[in-house]
Amino acid sequence: LAATQTIAIVGAGYSGALLAVHLSRRPGVKVTLIERSPVFGLGLAYGTTCPMHLLNVRSGRMSAFPDDPGHFVRWLAEHEPQLADPEGFAPRMVFGRYVRALLQEAVDAAEGRLELMAGEAVAVDAGPDQARITLADGRKVSADRAVLALGNRPPGEPDPEFAKVPVDRFLNDPWAPGALDKVKPADEVLLVGSGLTMIDVVLALEAQGWMGRALALSRRGLLPRAHDPVQAHAGPNPPPDETLSQRLKAFRRRIGERGWGAAMDEIRPFNQAVWRALDTQERRRFLRHLRPWWDVHRHRVAVGVAEGLRGLFESGRLSVAGGKIVRVEPGSAGVLVDWRPRGSREAVRAHFERVINCTGPLADLSKSPEALPRQLFESGVVRADPLRLGLDVDAGGRVIGRDGRVNPRLYAIGPLTKAESWEMVAVPEIRSQAAELAERLTA
Ligand SMILES: Cc1cc2nc3c(=O)[nH]c(=O)nc-3n(C[C@H](O)[C@H](O)[C@H](O)COP(=O)(O)OP(=O)(O)OC[C@H]3O[C@@H](n4cnc5c(N)ncnc54)[C@H](O)[C@@H]3O)c2cc1C
């Protein structure tokens, strides 16, 4: 069959790779998948080489395909039989191998209709007839439609306080290749942030033989909760159709009855619908008051990870505090940090050999210093959503430009589209989004 429709996807993490897999199964479609990092199919989450970085979702829920929930566990049974437990938490790098294998299978089966193109996209323009993508080396790709699958961005510009500190003392991007190599085995470390990124960093430091002590500091000092050792298997239970504060009351009651883990799982299938029904003001209230609590209960860590952390807390090597950094200055062989514990007026001063930014991926794409996001915002091809969670897109994933018009040639997928549905960061949601978008693009 001659190709009749062309689609270019920028970014080959899980979102871009799975969309390409779905599209490649449809006759008459030719796909170009563009990725700037050396390996396709991994992205930030699954590109880790640290075996201690485990999935934070049980394997039984990590199938790449919404209509085949057992697919990942069957793949494990064939390729990593010791991990083939639907209730278990596999290493993230193993999941990365799974996605890469799916992509390779799709390339082989598509007989030239799925092209993997290595390179960095620096510009995307979507005109009336075509979408055009320019790569850093000058190559150009034209397609009927383009999809942005840029995913989790590296952290943006550091807090100006840390700009005073030498770059080998303040590690702004802990995911940059070799960044953590700068940490010496006995270093006293300040981790700015106490969420999943902080936990990833601590596990990676442990794996490289670090034996020092660390303080994880965040505004509230909240730590992600752990999954229940035994899965509670909570069925769907729709939240009441009421105001946000009444919903919260009902949710609290449910926690009393079922425990917070099951209460959280029960509402997960309805989270997108609830978010879509909130107006901007209510969404803002949710983000301001509830988000920190939401994040630590919704995005839980694997049981084994929680056990490892417990050992670090008990030995005094890791502690977590709520507070605010007020001043930073270079110290002798390190960094002097004045920080004010939560609820206190007095700042305390501490010395650290290394400070690591663990605040996580940059959410506000308009602040990204990278070439493509800058071009997209400066040209007005995209605009930020009102709450700066990502890109403004319509319910079908089509990008809305600065002029407020929906662009019929440009789409977005994955965490970039969080503003539209809120719950669009993890595989169980993105896999449905990828399947549905493939359907829509080829309808
Ligand atoms: C550390 C971490 C751990 C996670 N763990 C889990 C988990 O256990 N379970 C779960 O369900 N979810 C997890 N998530 C959520 C995760 O967001 C999704 O699972 C999914 O990986 C998102 O994929 P993505 O393709 O949208 O983004 P990404 O994985 O970030 O991929 C985006 C890709 O786009 C490429 N790219 C960006 N800009 C350009 C450009 N200009 N030109 C070319 N290529 C470009 C990048 O190199 C990257 O490969 C985790 C997230 C993080 C950050």
Side-chain angles (χ1 to χ4, degrees):
L1 263 183
T4 54
Q5 203 192 149
T6 50
I7 297 171
I9 305 169
V10 182
Y14 175 79
S15 305
L18 254 290
L19 178 63
V21 167
H22 285 289
L23 288 171
S24 72
R25 293 174 175 179
R26 290 160 188 262
V29 181
K30 188 169 187 312
V31 181
T32 306
L33 180 61
I34 302 166
E35 170 59 48
R36 67 177 176 192
S37 61
V39 190
F40 282 63
L42 301 182
L44 185 57
Y46 311 116
T48 176
T49 53
C50 176
M52 288 159 88
H53 286 162
L54 303 182
L55 292 172
N56 55 20
V57 178
R58 291 176 204 272
S59 298
R61 291 181 47 77
M62 285 296 286
S63 164
F65 303 107
D67 56 357
D68 184 2
H71 193 271
F72 178 48
V73 178
R74 289 204 308 278
W75 184 90
L76 286 173
E78 198 178 326
H79 300 276
E80 300 276 350
Q82 74 290 0
L83 295 172
D85 171 10
E87 303 290 313
F89 297 89
R92 293 213 302 265
M93 55 197 242
V94 171
F95 187 80
R97 273 183 49 211
Y98 167 63
V99 180
R100 283 180 60 195
L102 295 175
L103 188 58
Q104 192 52 52
E105 266 170 36
V107 170
D108 295 343
E111 297 176 334
R113 289 186 301 102
L114 170 52
E115 182 192 1
L116 306 188
M117 185 178 277
E120 179 176 7
V122 292
V124 175
D125 298 293
D129 306 322
Q130 279 202 311
R132 278 179 307 277
I133 297 159
T134 309
L135 274 70
D137 60 10
R139 277 178 294 166
K140 292 197 192 297
V141 177
S142 293
D144 296 320
R145 264 155 311 161
V147 182
L148 301 172
L150 310 181
N152 298 297
R153 320 303 323 125
E157 297 295 322
D159 182 315
E161 278 298 308
F162 287 111
K164 307 175 197 162
V165 174
V167 287
D168 65 328
R169 295 288 173 190
F170 174 66
L171 312 179
N172 186 45
D173 181 1
W175 293 298
L180 299 181
D181 297 351
K182 300 195 177 83
V183 180
K184 306 273 185 303
D187 275 358
E188 191 104 352
V189 179
L190 174 64
L191 305 162
V192 182
S194 64
L196 293 172
T197 305
M198 179 282 285
I199 293 174
D200 254 24
V201 166
V202 169
L203 295 175
L205 291 177
E206 279 274 285
Q208 72 183 41
W210 167 78
M211 289 170 299
R213 293 190 327 160
L215 168 67
L217 184 64
S218 66
R219 225 166 279 171
R220 291 182 169 78
L222 296 175
L223 199 63
R225 306 305 197 255
H227 280 278
D228 290 335
V230 182
Q231 170 71 303
H233 286 298
N237 183 24
D241 189 13
E242 290 165 340
T243 64
L244 191 55
S245 43
Q246 282 164 329
R247 281 182 206 275
L248 181 62
K249 262 191 212 142
F251 184 60
R252 286 202 168 118
R253 262 199 317 275
R254 198 65 185 150
I255 292 174
E257 289 158 12
R258 295 270 345 239
W260 63 261
M264 205 76 197
D265 292 343
E266 284 180 346
I267 58 167
R268 184 166 175 170
F270 310 98
N271 291 342
Q272 294 187 338
V274 171
W275 176 262
R276 287 183 181 127
L278 298 178
D279 62 23
T280 303
Q281 208 180 333
E282 279 184 306
R283 291 178 183 184
R284 190 171 280 124
R285 280 179 60 215
F286 169 82
L287 294 175
R288 187 176 307 143
H289 301 294
L290 293 179
R291 186 183 186 166
W293 303 94
W294 176 270
D295 283 349
V296 295
H297 288 91
R298 169 67 187 78
H299 303 287
R300 286 160 258 170
V301 296
V303 179
V305 167
E307 279 163 8
L309 287 176
R310 200 172 310 126
L312 284 172
F313 283 120
E314 283 169 7
S315 67
R317 286 187 52 212
L318 178 61
S319 51
V320 177
K324 196 170 179 320
I325 291 170
V326 285
R327 201 178 131 80
V328 173
E329 57 183 81
S332 66
V335 185
L336 285 168
V337 179
D338 293 337
W339 66 278
R340 199 168 51 238
R342 194 171 167 80
S344 159
R345 285 163 183 256
E346 301 289 315
V348 292
R349 171 164 282 207
H351 177 271
F352 300 94
E353 270 87 31
R354 224 65 57 175
V355 180
I356 307 177
N357 178 11
C358 300
T359 54
L362 175 72
D364 186 352
L365 197 66
S366 68
K367 294 216 172 86
S368 170
E370 296 176 277
L372 180 57
R374 278 184 40 209
Q375 179 270 337
L376 288 168
F377 280 98
E378 282 166 13
S379 63
V381 169
V382 302
R383 69 178 185 188
D385 66 283
L387 299 168
R388 308 246 155 204
L389 295 170
L391 293 182
D392 205 2
V393 296
D394 75 356
R398 293 178 303 175
V399 165
I400 300 172
R402 188 164 54 208
D403 58 6
R405 292 187 21 203
V406 168
N407 192 323
R409 300 213 171 263
L410 188 60
Y411 291 70
I413 184 172
L416 290 182
T417 65
K418 203 157 78 175
E420 197 278 318
S421 59
W422 177 245
E423 197 77 272
M424 196 50 79
V425 284
V427 166
E429 281 79 26
I430 299 174
R431 66 183 176 196
S432 300
Q433 191 190 30
E436 285 159 19
L437 183 56
E439 183 87 48
R440 230 174 291 125
L441 284 167
T442 52

